[in-house]
Amino acid sequence: MKNIIVGLLGFGNVGSGFAAILKENMNQITNTLGCSIIIKKVLVRNLAKYKNAPIPEELFTTNADEIITDPEIDIVVELIGGIRPAYDYIKKALEHHKHVVTANKAVIALYGRELFDLADKSCVSIKFEGSVGGGIPIIATLTKSLAANKIEEIVGIINGTTNYILTRMEESGMNFEDALSEAQAKGFAEANPTSDIEGEDAAYKLAILTHVAFGVEVSPGEIPYIGIRQISEKEIAYAKQLGYKIKLLATVRRNNGSLDIHVHPTLVPFEHPLASVNYENNALYIKGSAVGELMLYGKGAGSLPTGSAVISDVMEAAGIIQNRIQTKNSFASRYQFTPKAISSGASAYYIRLQVTDQPGVLGSITTAFGRNGVSLESVVQRGRGGSSVPLIFVTHETPWDKLEAALEEIKKLNSVEEVASILMVHKQSQ
Ligand SMILES: NC(=O)c1ccc[n+]([C@@H]2O[C@H](COP(=O)([O-])OP(=O)(O)OC[C@H]3O[C@@H](n4cnc5c(N)ncnc54)[C@H](OP(=O)(O)O)[C@@H]3O)[C@@H](O)[C@H]2O)c1
């Protein structure tokens, strides 16, 4: 069988991890495929940086066309990151009938539909396992193992930085800033962590999952997302007393023909499997119509875990080349699902109010909730006796607009000093 020739765009964390796994497990890969995978060229910006790289110096180039237009190259592996020029290179590679493998969440979240269609037109494949959940095989699970299921729901912890910070705040009582500094020192948070902390990174990944699992194209900007910057150690302690951990959850679920979708800090009951996903680990909890519930857990980033996802995609593409069979890349045509609406949907909520401790305050607040159709599951009062005390309410499932109306009314009560916190509460779907 003909060997498979790969051109690599980028030799950073993931690119070098990919090359290391290829070298280390060469025999296993060759025996599995019946042919070898050979890296022919590697694109970087700064050649001097790669003088002592673990692959021959002459493989490196700064000219992308030496890879993208080389007729001998079968698969282009894009690992440079960012939107441009990564998107242009992927597009050009597909136009040149190269199979493409990428771990680039931004390009797939923003341009997935166009690139999948282009790949179909060019009769090649585009694979992107590494773009969500690092080493966790979520895309393969959805597209292959669960291909005949109707996916009902995906709830994920898909950002390692925020999960590390929340775990450290919970176990040590440290504040957000200290936990963030520790995450940065240990390499679990970037120097500029804004996209992770604000929930944007998770929204990009959720956009990809929604496309793959439901065939619905949602731009990351359309997904309501809230990050964890405002979560205090006090909130984590209150949640713990009530039997919950706070996790940044990315959720997409069917709801009577609509899609509920959001990224939100959420109270997860201790007994739920997602509550035990700690530190930088990621997990995806999936509900399929036939398979029922399952959870995938593992490292959501890193050189070797993400390299592992990339190489599995390359092997998959190699199999397609060798056998010349090709399934469609487009997801939209696969599921033929047009949601009636895409919104953040209904949720149970945890509300902490800071109130003046005086008679009648609880009654006027519960009346305001009731008047606006928000039903309460529990009320907890902490630290009686001070002038200002926290009052915590957990609601039953309620649409956001009803809760918002109730809170507008509640804010106007003289005894209410502030609405200190609004978090979602994860309820097991039926
Ligand atoms: N790191 C992770 O754990 C992880 C996890 C999941 C997904 N990903 C995704 O994987 C991709 C790669 O991430 P990474 O962490 O490996 O990045 P990285 O360490 O920053 O490496 C980027 C590589 O691409 C090269 N490069 C960047 N821009 C280029 C350009 N315009 N032209 C030519 N070469 C260019 C760089 O070369 P120079 O050194 O010469 O600049 C470097 O070799 C990204 O899409 C990222 O989101 C990463």
Side-chain angles (χ1 to χ4, degrees), residues 10-14 44-46 49-50 79-81 103-104 130 301-302 306:
F11 201 75
N13 281 314
V14 183
V44 292
R45 273 179 303 208
N46 179 358
K49 243 170 92 177
Y50 297 92
L79 299 169
I80 64 179
N104 192 322
T306 313

Side-chain angles (χ1 to χ4, degrees), residues 9-17 42-50 60-64 78-82 84-86 89 102-107 129-135 190 201 205 300-307 310:
L9 310 180
F11 201 75
N13 281 314
V14 183
S16 60
V42 182
L43 177 78
V44 292
R45 273 179 303 208
N46 179 358
L47 288 174
K49 243 170 92 177
Y50 297 92
F60 288 97
T61 176
T62 54
N63 180 358
E78 184 279 308
L79 299 169
I80 64 179
R84 287 213 135 94
Y89 292 164
T102 178
N104 192 322
K105 62 176 176 285
V107 167
E129 185 66 77
S131 65
V132 183
E190 292 182 18
D201 172 83
K205 293 168 181 167
S303 174
L304 292 179
T306 313
V310 171

Side-chain angles (χ1 to χ4, degrees), residues 190-321:
E190 292 182 18
N192 178 358
T194 309
S195 174
D196 293 311
I197 299 302
E198 303 296 350
E200 185 193 48
D201 172 83
Y204 271 81
K205 293 168 181 167
L206 188 57
I208 297 174
L209 291 175
T210 304
H211 197 154
V212 172
F214 300 94
V216 176
E217 198 185 5
V218 188
S219 103
E222 282 176 89
I223 297 177
Y225 66 84
I226 294 181
I228 65 159
R229 199 181 282 280
Q230 77 291 358
I231 304 290
S232 66
E233 63 278 24
K234 195 153 71 172
E235 217 65 72
I236 290 176
Y238 287 139
K240 200 172 179 177
Q241 287 167 24
L242 296 175
Y244 297 98
K245 284 198 186 183
I246 299 179
K247 297 286 182 192
L248 184 67
L249 295 190
T251 303
V252 56
R253 68 164 70 97
R254 289 180 200 266
N255 180 7
N256 292 323
S258 296
L259 266 191
D260 291 353
I261 182 164
H262 48 78
V263 174
H264 212 285
T266 306
L267 273 70
V268 181
F270 286 157
E271 59 275 14
H272 193 284
L274 286 171
S276 50
V277 176
N278 289 322
Y279 304 106
E280 73 279 18
N281 292 304
N282 283 16
L284 290 126
Y285 187 82
I286 306 159
K287 196 168 168 192
S289 55
V291 74
E293 294 165 29
L294 62 91
M295 190 165 104
L296 302 178
Y297 167 87
K299 293 206 181 338
S303 174
L304 292 179
T306 313
S308 158
V310 171
I311 204 146
S312 75
D313 276 350
V314 168
M315 290 176 73
E316 182 81 18
I320 292 170
I321 294 165

